[in-house]
Amino acid sequence: MMRLVCCCSALLLLVLTPRVCQGGNILVLPAEGSHWVNMDIVLQALHSRGHSLTVVRSNKSWYIKEKAPHYTTITVQVERSIDESFIAKVVSEGLAFERGSLPLTHFLYSAFGMLGVFREAHEIVGDFASALLDDAELVTRIKDKKFDLLLTDPCWGGGAIVAKYFHLPLVYNVRWLIAMEAHLAIAPSPLSYIPINLSGNTDKMTFFQRVKNMILHIMSHLQNNIASRDIYQKVCEKYLGPDCDYYQLMIDADIWLLRTDFVFDYPRPTMPNVIYMGGFQCKPAKPLPQHLEDFVQSSGDHGFIIMSLGTFVSELPADLANEIAATFAKLPQKVIWRYKGEKPDTLGNNTLLVDWMPQNDLLGHPKIKLFVAHGGTNGIQEALYHGVPVVGIPLFFDQYDNILRLADRGGAKILSVATMDKDDNFLKAIQEVLTEPSYRNNMQRLSRLHRDKPVTPMDNALFWMEFVMRHKGAAHLKAQGNRMPWYSYHSVDVALFLVGALILLLFTVFFLLRCLCAAVCKRKAKRD
Amino acid sequence: MMRLVCCCSALLLLVLTPRVCQGGNILVLPAEGSHWVNMDIVLQALHSRGHSLTVVRSNKSWYIKEKAPHYTTITVQVERSIDESFIAKVVSEGLAFERGSLPLTHFLYSAFGMLGVFREAHEIVGDFASALLDDAELVTRIKDKKFDLLLTDPCWGGGAIVAKYFHLPLVYNVRWLIAMEAHLAIAPSPLSYIPINLSGNTDKMTFFQRVKNMILHIMSHLQNNIASRDIYQKVCEKYLGPDCDYYQLMIDADIWLLRTDFVFDYPRPTMPNVIYMGGFQCKPAKPLPQHLEDFVQSSGDHGFIIMSLGTFVSELPADLANEIAATFAKLPQKVIWRYKGEKPDTLGNNTLLVDWMPQNDLLGHPKIKLFVAHGGTNGIQEALYHGVPVVGIPLFFDQYDNILRLADRGGAKILSVATMDKDDNFLKAIQEVLTEPSYRNNMQRLSRLHRDKPVTPMDNALFWMEFVMRHKGAAHLKAQGNRMPWYSYHSVDVALFLVGALILLLFTVFFLLRCLCAAVCKRKAKRD
């Protein structure tokens, strides 16, 4: 009897007929901040495939440089932008809140507390789209360039309007669609097993967790509508005519390159034009710079730990930073901590503070033992790719849900920023994940699943962008349901009609029976 | 400015780390007839990848040979089987009916007329599964072989029970799941734009087409339940215990290799463990046998036509066969007609009757002009792959819907078998498709879309079967919704709870207001 060990997919993947190649011409409408970091990785890959890229940015752009070797830019003049100070305000408010929050207030804050901030951001983005389409010179320049594709991150709106205005096929590099998890907009989403963002639920819910899930879904739907819908609808009507429906326009993109996959996320309904590229940025580790390599090698058999709370959280309150440093000082491992704040007094000799670190290369290093992370998607995907267990300290947005997905599969431990500095919670969590082998084994198993795909996520994303350029869209993959009003989509009209018809039928039968009965009784009465 | 012509996906598709290869051990539970033809193509591919295959067949098997170079067999002793005479009965009844049908009777016949026949077939298949699991010697043989995977076609039931009994990961080679289009069982299916089989609808429906779609869905659901549910539930309970739910077991397969794709089918919700392998059997044409090559070459610039009504329809009523032959005789093209009946009197010199033809090679021949087909999935997929326009004469099952998908995209013309022999309908249809270039252009466009995939359908199918063997299943791709009762899945309980809570709240508020009002009125009355 033959036994299967594992199989040679290198032989398996015969590729379809090769095609002669010539670069496409791509217009890019990115989002700022960490979303730009993601987009730029895709742009570099597109550039290396010979495509020509034009990035639309604002004169107040925060992350997006005007000059870069792999793209040219179009700069739109604006008054306001989503910049560092804007984000810093959101982050510090959110962090202060998280440290003092109770479950109920947390829940309400999540759903409505950020409403004003979000609305302001949507106004800024709506103004940006208007400024672009009002600028006759920019419009002419874009028309003259005869682009093949508009690539955008729809976490803020506007991209779909610009694509429609210039008649360009539309591809999303997406995880959030105007603060809504992208699937919720494009695919049927049974709330009975699809956990809503910020619910703290997994795909296995009790009855009351399902009730919470439903309520939170309705609230976030309301929140989204209040915070953004009229803003983009106005822009839409101004440039595309009064019949334009922004929501239908938004969900009718040709291809959705979704920054997740079903090793990270729970399995759920999806659509034919959704392509999963979760982990597209991950790659095998490169050698470390010499000083870092020396530092991690000095850890001996204990190995080393890295900690990062992401791009936005560069500083922490002094008491919290001291508590973290003191905990690290008690460990036999070496620690590399990405932190820009003042050096904590309690910092031990085993801990190296850095402004920036080659996170992917460190996570792929043989001596890595643990990743202390805030739960941003990029870091979590890198941990998954390299199979490194995580102690997660989620702060806001999707971070709790991200770490929950690893914790639920036994690869991570979640700590609350509100209680991590009490009762040695942080130390206990680190020691548990370091000493209990299941954490590492589970992450390694997830890593094997994540890497075992017929085509790498980035290659798949590139294939589908080029597919859209070759065929001038992907209309055959866009469901008819995208173009239906909600009552038709959900067959509400048909159900009402059928129930009405049934009631009418029953009444008729009842009426006829009564007439018949009456007639019979009458005849009987006459006979008697 | 660079212009995109088309791109070199050969370069793009870097494959993930190659893996050392050793053959897996696969148990196969196929269906008979044309379904076996499909399955056998997959088995040959698996065999050529070094896997060891064991096919379970009955001693009365019709299509599945006991000895073959690429698999061994296990033969189950049965009394009855779905054999040639059984199918011939269905086909002749169906054909006679089609020729005389009115829309309403057709509709009812489709939904209920075949009920008895289907129930008989399910009983035969249920008995087959029981006979296998009752045979202690076969059970021991299967256990000893330590299979890695059970591969089955679930158009009839039983496979899921056998997989569960032997604790084997389960892969479906599937289009129909117990007479239901497979998607309807596994993925959410908004009936507002998903045409139900036999409805004659496309994905763009009028209000009354949607009403018909809904009614037909309810009826076919009932039909399926009446025809099969209790049969398999009994087998399930007998071998897996009283708590077993056959429906949940059936939809919980690890991977569904679906014999369709979204060039052929309308885009609709899907699931992460559904892999589309439509057109897996298609390949570039091989040279024709000399006598056929000489025959088609003799057609000159007119080219040639092929006609086949599939595996099951080997004969036609004499009047119909004569009418078809007479029509062909009027054409300047050469015709190759797969027909086993008596030679029609009206047969022209330009028409060659054959028992069998190399259909794929003929469809890929440069001189092919038209395919006259009954609309079986295999033939339609081959026409799509080679971009050949179709005149379709659907007979039963999914054939009308299959051709409708091509016709709706402008690549085919549909003829009814009831009226094709009247008013030169057949001749007119052939001439229209031959002379109007849009038919060919549309099929060529569909062919380009169909062929433009990152991995060929067969390679993708092989990858996922080997994935399941490498990881002992694909639990991470199976949705939690598969394991929920329907009222929880659809959040009926949560909705009732929330509506109840809302009503209670409103009543309480109303009651309090009334009390308040009464108190105020009382005080006022006292004061007055």
Side-chain angles (χ1 to χ4, degrees):
Chain A
M1 190 198 55
M2 297 170 81
R3 285 299 300 156
L4 176 110
V5 176
C6 49
C7 289
C8 182
S9 22
L11 283 180
L12 162 68
L13 293 155
L14 305 170
V15 173
L16 297 171
T17 342
R19 296 168 201 85
V20 184
C21 186
Q22 207 177 325
N25 198 7
I26 302 172
L27 185 64
V28 187
L29 217 84
E32 283 283 349
S34 61
H35 287 251
W36 166 251
V37 176
N38 273 329
M39 183 64 98
D40 197 31
I41 295 168
V42 175
L43 298 189
Q44 286 170 24
L46 281 168
H47 175 74
S48 75
R49 296 261 312 143
H51 301 296
S52 165
L53 305 164
T54 305
V55 175
V56 183
R57 62 190 281 283
S58 88
N59 57 326
K60 305 212 167 172
S61 190
W62 169 28
Y63 264 65
I64 307 165
K65 294 198 185 70
E66 193 171 1
K67 292 204 187 308
H70 57 293
Y71 60 78
T72 56
T73 50
I74 285 178
T75 301
V76 181
Q77 303 298 319
V78 294
E79 299 287 315
R80 302 186 291 174
S81 74
I82 301 178
D83 58 9
E84 200 159 1
S85 65
F86 185 94
I87 295 288
K89 194 173 74 184
V90 177
V91 166
S92 69
E93 266 184 31
L95 190 56
F97 176 81
E98 286 287 330
R99 292 196 76 194
S101 75
L102 292 170
L104 182 68
T105 54
H106 188 194
F107 183 77
L108 291 172
Y109 180 79
S110 304
F112 290 107
M114 307 282 271
L115 212 53
V117 179
F118 278 128
R119 195 167 166 86
E120 192 182 338
H122 286 300
E123 280 168 359
I124 291 172
V125 176
D127 290 348
F128 177 79
S130 295
L132 169 64
L133 298 179
D134 278 341
D135 188 327
E137 190 253 322
L138 287 189
V139 166
T140 312
R141 246 171 87 192
I142 290 174
K143 280 186 180 164
D144 287 349
K145 277 213 169 190
K146 299 207 187 309
F147 288 103
D148 299 302
L149 177 69
L150 187 128
L151 173 64
T152 190
D153 183 331
C155 66
W156 307 109
I161 300 171
V162 175
K164 187 81 177 173
Y165 187 85
F166 292 110
H167 308 288
L168 296 178
L170 179 60
V171 172
Y172 284 161
N173 168 1
V174 54
R175 179 133 191 260
W176 306 100
L177 191 83
I178 307 199
M180 167 168 47
E181 206 277 322
H183 282 111
L184 294 180
I186 183 84
S189 303
L191 293 176
S192 50
Y193 72 94
I194 294 173
I196 290 299
N197 180 40
L198 300 176
S199 66
N201 290 333
T202 70
D203 63 344
K204 288 164 282 296
M205 301 179 226
T206 63
F207 177 75
F208 283 105
Q209 281 173 332
R210 288 195 286 119
V211 169
K212 180 182 172 190
N213 211 46
M214 175 77 82
I215 293 174
L216 203 56
H217 175 68
I218 296 170
M219 284 168 77
S220 73
H221 199 76
L222 284 175
Q223 181 201 39
N224 264 324
N225 275 330
I226 295 170
S228 71
R229 192 132 185 182
D230 62 314
I231 295 172
Y232 297 117
Q233 181 61 31
K234 259 183 220 149
V235 180
C236 196
E237 286 173 18
K238 182 170 171 198
Y239 297 98
L240 301 172
D243 296 334
C244 166
D245 179 301
Y246 180 65
Y247 190 82
Q248 285 190 12
L249 197 68
M250 181 175 76
I251 63 172
D252 211 34
D254 289 280
I255 293 286
W256 301 51
L257 303 172
L258 237 144
R259 297 192 298 269
T260 182
D261 73 356
F262 292 112
V263 175
F264 170 68
D265 229 329
Y266 296 114
R268 51 118 55 238
T270 174
M271 296 300 282
N273 58 343
V274 175
I275 305 297
Y276 293 90
M277 65 160 184
F280 67 100
Q281 79 280 29
C282 303
K283 36 182 185 266
K286 291 194 299 290
L288 296 176
Q290 198 55 48
H291 73 286
L292 281 183
E293 181 64 29
D294 292 345
F295 182 75
V296 304
Q297 285 299 346
S298 72
S299 68
D301 286 345
H302 290 299
F304 72 99
I305 294 170
I306 64 171
M307 168 160 176
S308 165
L309 296 183
T311 321
F312 292 145
V313 182
S314 44
E315 285 190 52
L316 290 170
D319 61 326
L320 189 57
N322 271 321
E323 175 64 30
I324 291 172
T327 304
F328 284 149
K330 291 178 198 159
L331 297 171
Q333 282 78 20
K334 298 278 170 167
V335 181
I336 302 175
W337 181 8
R338 182 184 176 184
Y339 186 63
K340 287 188 193 169
E342 209 162 299
K343 186 179 158 181
D345 302 333
T346 51
L347 197 75
N349 284 333
N350 67 337
T351 307
L352 185 68
L353 287 191
V354 293
D355 269 11
W356 177 88
M357 61 186 179
Q359 191 168 286
N360 184 66
D361 303 331
L362 286 164
L363 286 170
H365 194 282
K367 281 195 183 291
I368 183 92
K369 295 291 173 199
L370 173 67
F371 182 22
V372 180
H374 67 314
T377 310
N378 287 349
I380 292 293
Q381 288 283 7
E382 285 172 10
L384 256 179
Y385 178 83
H386 292 292
V388 178
V390 170
V391 166
I393 310 166
L395 300 173
F396 22 68
F397 308 132
D398 54 335
Q399 297 166 3
Y400 182 87
D401 297 277
N402 289 344
I403 300 173
L404 182 63
R405 275 151 184 69
L406 298 192
D408 188 35
R409 277 80 166 234
K413 176 105 188 155
I414 306 179
L415 271 185
S416 160
V417 70
T419 56
M420 68 177 284
D421 50 356
K422 295 181 184 75
D423 304 328
D424 280 342
N425 278 340
F426 189 40
L427 182 65
K428 283 182 205 157
I430 291 176
Q431 282 173 338
E432 180 182 331
V433 175
L434 284 173
T435 54
E436 173 58 67
S438 68
Y439 286 98
R440 190 173 189 85
N441 292 343
N442 284 323
M443 283 303 280
Q444 295 275 338
R445 184 178 56 81
L446 293 176
S447 173
R448 282 193 300 276
L449 290 174
H450 173 81
R451 288 172 178 232
D452 199 359
K453 294 193 170 85
V455 182
T456 66
M458 179 64 103
D459 285 341
N460 209 18
L462 290 170
F463 176 88
W464 285 104
M465 283 186 275
E466 294 179 349
F467 181 98
V468 167
M469 293 194 280
R470 279 196 289 278
H471 301 283
K472 304 190 186 316
H476 67 298
L477 298 179
K478 299 200 282 187
Q480 186 61 23
N482 296 357
R483 290 175 282 279
M484 299 176 87
W486 66 269
Y487 53 86
S488 301
Y489 176 91
H490 292 290
S491 295
V492 176
D493 47 1
V494 170
L496 288 177
F497 174 82
L498 287 176
V499 169
L502 192 68
I503 291 174
L504 197 70
L505 184 75
L506 289 178
F507 265 101
T508 314
V509 169
F510 176 75
F511 180 75
L512 288 178
L513 281 179
R514 234 185 62 172
C515 288
L516 197 74
C517 204
V520 169
C521 292
K522 225 176 180 177
R523 253 173 68 185
K524 211 176 161 195
K526 241 185 213 169
R527 249 191 291 153
D528 299 338
Chain B
M1 189 197 57
M2 297 169 80
R3 287 299 297 157
L4 175 109
V5 177
C6 50
C7 289
C8 182
S9 20
L11 283 180
L12 160 67
L13 293 155
L14 305 171
V15 173
L16 297 170
T17 343
R19 297 168 200 87
V20 184
C21 186
Q22 207 177 325
N25 198 7
I26 302 173
L27 184 65
V28 187
L29 216 85
E32 282 283 347
S34 60
H35 287 250
W36 165 252
V37 177
N38 273 330
M39 183 63 98
D40 197 31
I41 296 169
V42 175
L43 298 189
Q44 286 171 24
L46 282 167
H47 175 74
S48 74
R49 297 262 311 143
H51 301 295
S52 165
L53 305 164
T54 305
V55 175
V56 183
R57 63 189 280 284
S58 88
N59 58 327
K60 304 212 169 174
S61 190
W62 170 28
Y63 264 65
I64 308 166
K65 295 197 184 71
E66 193 171 0
K67 294 204 184 308
H70 56 294
Y71 60 78
T72 56
T73 49
I74 285 179
T75 301
V76 181
Q77 302 298 319
V78 294
E79 299 287 316
R80 301 185 292 174
S81 73
I82 300 179
D83 58 9
E84 199 159 0
S85 66
F86 186 94
I87 295 288
K89 193 174 75 183
V90 177
V91 166
S92 69
E93 266 182 30
L95 190 58
F97 176 81
E98 286 287 330
R99 292 196 77 195
S101 76
L102 292 170
L104 182 68
T105 54
H106 188 195
F107 183 77
L108 291 172
Y109 180 78
S110 304
F112 291 105
M114 308 281 272
L115 212 51
V117 179
F118 279 129
R119 194 166 167 89
E120 193 183 336
H122 287 298
E123 279 168 359
I124 291 173
V125 175
D127 290 349
F128 177 79
S130 296
L132 169 63
L133 299 179
D134 278 340
D135 188 327
E137 189 253 321
L138 288 188
V139 167
T140 312
R141 247 171 85 192
I142 290 174
K143 280 186 180 162
D144 287 349
K145 277 212 168 189
K146 299 209 186 309
F147 289 103
D148 300 302
L149 176 70
L150 187 128
L151 173 64
T152 190
D153 183 330
C155 66
W156 307 110
I161 299 171
V162 175
K164 187 81 177 174
Y165 187 85
F166 292 108
H167 307 289
L168 296 178
L170 179 61
V171 172
Y172 284 162
N173 169 1
V174 55
R175 180 133 192 260
W176 305 99
L177 191 82
I178 306 201
M180 166 168 48
E181 207 276 323
H183 282 112
L184 295 180
I186 183 85
S189 303
L191 293 175
S192 50
Y193 72 94
I194 294 174
I196 290 298
N197 180 41
L198 299 175
S199 67
N201 290 332
T202 70
D203 63 345
K204 289 166 280 295
M205 299 178 227
T206 63
F207 176 76
F208 283 104
Q209 282 174 331
R210 289 195 285 117
V211 170
K212 180 182 171 189
N213 211 46
M214 175 76 84
I215 293 174
L216 203 55
H217 176 68
I218 296 168
M219 285 168 76
S220 73
H221 200 77
L222 285 175
Q223 181 200 38
N224 264 323
N225 275 329
I226 296 171
S228 72
R229 193 134 184 180
D230 62 314
I231 295 173
Y232 297 117
Q233 181 61 30
K234 259 183 222 151
V235 180
C236 196
E237 287 173 17
K238 182 172 171 197
Y239 297 97
L240 301 172
D243 296 336
C244 165
D245 180 302
Y246 181 65
Y247 190 81
Q248 285 189 12
L249 196 69
M250 182 176 75
I251 63 173
D252 211 35
D254 289 281
I255 292 287
W256 300 52
L257 304 173
L258 236 146
R259 296 192 300 269
T260 183
D261 73 357
F262 292 113
V263 175
F264 169 69
D265 230 328
Y266 297 114
R268 51 119 56 240
T270 174
M271 296 300 284
N273 58 344
V274 175
I275 304 298
Y276 293 90
M277 66 161 184
F280 67 100
Q281 79 280 30
C282 303
K283 37 182 184 268
K286 292 194 299 287
L288 296 176
Q290 198 56 49
H291 73 286
L292 281 182
E293 181 65 28
D294 291 345
F295 182 74
V296 304
Q297 284 300 345
S298 72
S299 68
D301 287 346
H302 291 299
F304 72 99
I305 294 170
I306 64 171
M307 167 159 177
S308 164
L309 297 183
T311 321
F312 292 145
V313 182
S314 45
E315 284 190 52
L316 290 171
D319 60 324
L320 189 57
N322 271 320
E323 176 65 30
I324 291 171
T327 304
F328 285 149
K330 291 179 197 156
L331 297 170
Q333 282 78 21
K334 298 277 171 167
V335 181
I336 302 174
W337 180 10
R338 182 183 177 185
Y339 187 63
K340 287 187 191 168
E342 209 162 297
K343 186 179 159 184
D345 302 333
T346 52
L347 197 76
N349 284 333
N350 66 337
T351 307
L352 185 68
L353 288 190
V354 292
D355 269 11
W356 176 88
M357 60 187 179
Q359 192 170 287
N360 184 66
D361 304 330
L362 286 165
L363 286 169
H365 194 282
K367 280 194 183 293
I368 184 90
K369 296 291 171 196
L370 173 66
F371 182 21
V372 180
H374 68 314
T377 311
N378 288 349
I380 293 294
Q381 289 283 7
E382 286 172 10
L384 256 177
Y385 178 84
H386 293 293
V388 178
V390 169
V391 166
I393 310 166
L395 300 174
F396 21 68
F397 308 132
D398 55 334
Q399 297 167 2
Y400 183 88
D401 297 276
N402 289 344
I403 300 174
L404 182 63
R405 276 150 182 68
L406 298 192
D408 188 35
R409 278 78 166 234
K413 175 105 187 154
I414 307 179
L415 270 186
S416 159
V417 70
T419 56
M420 68 177 284
D421 52 355
K422 297 182 183 73
D423 305 329
D424 280 343
N425 278 340
F426 188 40
L427 183 65
K428 283 182 205 155
I430 291 177
Q431 283 174 336
E432 181 183 329
V433 176
L434 284 173
T435 53
E436 175 57 67
S438 68
Y439 286 98
R440 190 173 189 85
N441 293 344
N442 284 322
M443 283 302 281
Q444 295 276 337
R445 183 177 57 78
L446 293 176
S447 172
R448 282 193 300 275
L449 290 174
H450 173 82
R451 289 172 177 231
D452 200 0
K453 294 193 170 85
V455 182
T456 67
M458 179 63 101
D459 286 340
N460 209 19
L462 290 170
F463 176 88
W464 286 104
M465 282 185 276
E466 294 179 349
F467 181 98
V468 166
M469 292 194 280
R470 277 195 291 276
H471 301 283
K472 304 191 188 313
H476 68 298
L477 298 179
K478 298 199 282 186
Q480 186 61 23
N482 296 357
R483 288 175 283 280
M484 300 177 86
W486 67 269
Y487 53 87
S488 301
Y489 176 91
H490 291 290
S491 294
V492 175
D493 46 2
V494 170
L496 287 178
F497 174 82
L498 286 176
V499 169
L502 193 68
I503 290 175
L504 198 70
L505 183 74
L506 289 177
F507 264 102
T508 313
V509 169
F510 175 76
F511 180 75
L512 288 177
L513 281 179
R514 236 186 61 173
C515 288
L516 197 74
C517 203
V520 170
C521 291
K522 226 176 180 177
R523 254 173 67 185
K524 212 176 159 194
K526 243 186 212 167
R527 250 191 289 156
D528 299 339

